[in-house]
Amino acid sequence: MMRATHPLLSLTAVLISLFGVASDCIPQEPVDAVTPVSADADILLKVGTKQSPPFAIKHADGSWTRISIELWEHLADELDLEFEFQELTLPEMLVGLEEGRLDAAVAAISVTSERHERIDFCHPHYSTGLGIAVSTRDRSTPWKLLGRVVTSRLLKLVAAMIVTVLGCGFLFWLFERKSNATMFGGKKRHGLGMGFWWSMILLLGNKSLMPVSTMGRLLATLAMFSSLIVLSILTGVITSVLTVGQLDTGIRRSTDLYNVRVASVADSTSADYLRQRHIFFRGYENPRAAMEAVDAGNADAFVYDAALLKYLASDEFANRIDVLPVIFNVQEYAIALPQESELRKPLNEELLRYRESDAWDELVYRYLGE
């Protein structure tokens, strides 16, 4: 026996059937497939660099190595980043980062307030400063040697000796002219001349003179003691001048750069430092060219990053170039990035971990001995 269907239920069933048929007839808009962005997506980063030994060096086969390069390679490996190096000048790297054509730049790139207005930086990975490189070769000539000896100090000493000889000579004539008429008698000019002669030879160490008068003997005694002091001072002055002239370059601090011929690398932080302090210098294309100018005697001092100077002086210019023990205008090297780069945070995190490890110390020691 069949149960009767309620009229309301029948009407609902009919409406549902009609709605289903109508929805099948309405054309559906195609839905685009959404591909999620994966953190491991193969994105080839463009990384700028330049020759900056010992932080970045390009080999004959086109490969790059040294401190900054190996640091970047370690960070990229830990973060699974794909990249390629592009060799550029420093101004080209800064413009490339600013315009977004580069994803990063690694080399000996100093962090400055001016650059920070244009680009961003990771945490610094090396602290250094400007140094001064000079030639160790002795380029003495007879005129230079004479210039070392004839100093203002020596001239003052000689002038004092002349005044002393004249004064003692006059006193010898005054005391001896009556007691020793044989030598000091006669015309005044003759007596004064003999007095000056006695005074000079006594000051030079002659002890054979025997004055007749009591005051003359007292004066001779004082002159002989004075001669010991004068000769000692004169010998010491000449010896110190010659020794210091051979070993000292005349440069002890950055303020001494105003008086010498200075070389630097154009478009560098060292060049900016020299310009700001109105120190005249000649700009060279790269550090090696500036170092060669000092080695050849065309410049007296090369002002550049101290770490790079030490590397070049010990590697390519050993026993010919010396880096003075003075560092000024302290600066820091860091990886450069475009502003608001998404790489900055992960790079900084990995960089801090790496710098706390022994591997970083070994890397720096391998190339700098520090």
Side-chain angles (χ1 to χ4, degrees):
M1 181 176 180
M2 297 182 61
R3 183 177 297 177
T5 304
H6 195 278
L8 183 58
L9 295 176
S10 300
L11 179 60
T12 302
V14 171
L15 291 175
I16 291 174
S17 300
L18 292 175
F19 180 78
V21 172
S23 62
D24 292 338
C25 296
I26 297 175
Q28 301 294 321
E29 293 291 333
V31 179
D32 295 336
V34 178
T35 303
V37 178
S38 173
D40 297 329
D42 293 334
I43 300 176
L44 188 64
L45 302 178
K46 297 179 180 179
V47 181
T49 189
K50 68 183 183 73
Q51 291 275 14
S52 303
F55 291 88
I57 290 182
K58 185 178 183 180
H59 298 294
D61 60 358
S63 62
W64 291 83
T65 186
R66 299 302 164 98
I67 297 176
S68 295
I69 299 297
E70 295 181 28
L71 168 64
W72 170 261
E73 290 176 342
H74 171 82
L75 300 179
D77 182 63
E78 293 295 323
L79 298 175
D80 294 327
L81 302 176
E82 298 290 334
F83 66 91
E84 64 175 5
F85 287 123
Q86 295 184 2
E87 185 175 8
L88 303 168
T89 64
L90 180 59
E92 289 173 342
M93 284 192 287
L94 297 178
V95 172
L97 291 170
E98 191 174 13
E99 296 180 352
R101 291 184 281 105
L102 290 178
D103 299 292
V106 294
I109 303 177
S110 303
V111 181
T112 66
S113 58
E114 180 183 357
R115 293 173 184 174
H116 225 307
E117 295 177 355
R118 303 168 53 190
I119 58 177
D120 209 345
F121 290 93
C122 290
H123 293 318
H125 57 264
Y126 189 82
S127 296
T128 182
L130 297 183
I132 303 174
V134 297
S135 175
T136 59
R137 298 180 181 180
D138 185 9
R139 308 180 188 279
S140 298
T141 64
W143 289 110
K144 287 185 178 180
L145 186 61
L146 182 62
R148 292 175 181 173
V149 175
V150 183
T151 62
S152 59
R153 183 182 177 188
L154 182 62
L155 292 176
K156 291 178 181 178
L157 181 59
V158 171
M161 289 178 62
I162 293 174
V163 172
T164 302
V165 167
L166 294 176
C168 288
F170 176 78
L171 292 176
F172 272 126
W173 170 77
L174 187 64
F175 297 149
E176 294 289 317
R177 61 179 177 172
K178 295 180 179 179
S179 303
N180 194 354
T182 304
M183 299 189 67
F184 294 92
K187 294 183 179 180
K188 185 177 180 180
R189 182 177 61 181
H190 172 77
L192 285 174
M194 186 57 67
F196 296 150
W197 171 253
W198 268 34
S199 177
M200 183 175 64
I201 61 178
L202 277 172
L203 286 175
L204 293 179
N206 192 317
K207 310 297 190 295
S208 62
L209 295 177
M210 294 297 293
V212 176
S213 65
T214 303
M215 292 301 297
R217 291 177 181 178
L218 179 60
L219 181 60
T221 303
L222 294 175
M224 285 187 286
F225 278 112
S226 301
S227 69
L228 297 176
I229 300 174
V230 170
L231 290 178
S232 298
I233 295 176
L234 184 61
T235 303
V237 168
I238 296 176
T239 302
S240 63
V241 166
L242 290 176
T243 303
V244 172
Q246 290 176 353
L247 300 179
D248 189 13
T249 60
I251 306 172
R252 295 184 179 88
R253 56 189 66 87
S254 60
T255 53
D256 295 328
L257 296 173
Y258 290 97
N259 305 317
V260 297
R261 298 172 300 166
V262 180
S264 188
V265 177
D267 298 323
S268 64
T269 52
S270 56
D272 294 338
Y273 174 88
L274 296 172
R275 291 191 193 97
Q276 291 171 2
R277 284 151 184 81
H278 306 290
I279 299 175
F280 178 78
F281 71 96
R282 181 176 180 181
Y284 289 84
E285 183 179 357
N286 53 64
R288 185 173 289 102
M291 193 75 89
E292 289 174 350
V294 174
D295 187 41
N298 297 324
D300 299 316
F302 173 29
V303 178
Y304 200 55
D305 297 345
L308 277 69
L309 291 180
K310 293 178 181 178
Y311 174 80
L312 289 174
S314 61
D315 185 45
E316 300 183 31
F317 297 87
N319 303 320
R320 293 149 52 195
I321 297 293
D322 187 24
V323 180
L324 301 180
V326 54
I327 294 181
F328 52 97
N329 192 37
V330 176
Q331 53 191 341
E332 295 176 319
Y333 294 156
I335 298 173
L337 301 170
Q339 288 187 341
E340 301 181 359
S341 172
E342 296 180 357
L343 293 173
R344 186 173 186 270
K345 183 177 179 181
L347 285 174
N348 277 337
E349 293 175 353
E350 188 57 42
L351 175 62
L352 292 177
R353 281 192 290 267
Y354 186 47
R355 288 203 59 183
E356 293 173 354
S357 67
D358 293 336
W360 169 252
D361 295 334
E362 293 174 0
L363 175 62
V364 175
Y365 181 80
R366 193 189 324 151
Y367 294 117
L368 290 177
E370 299 178 357

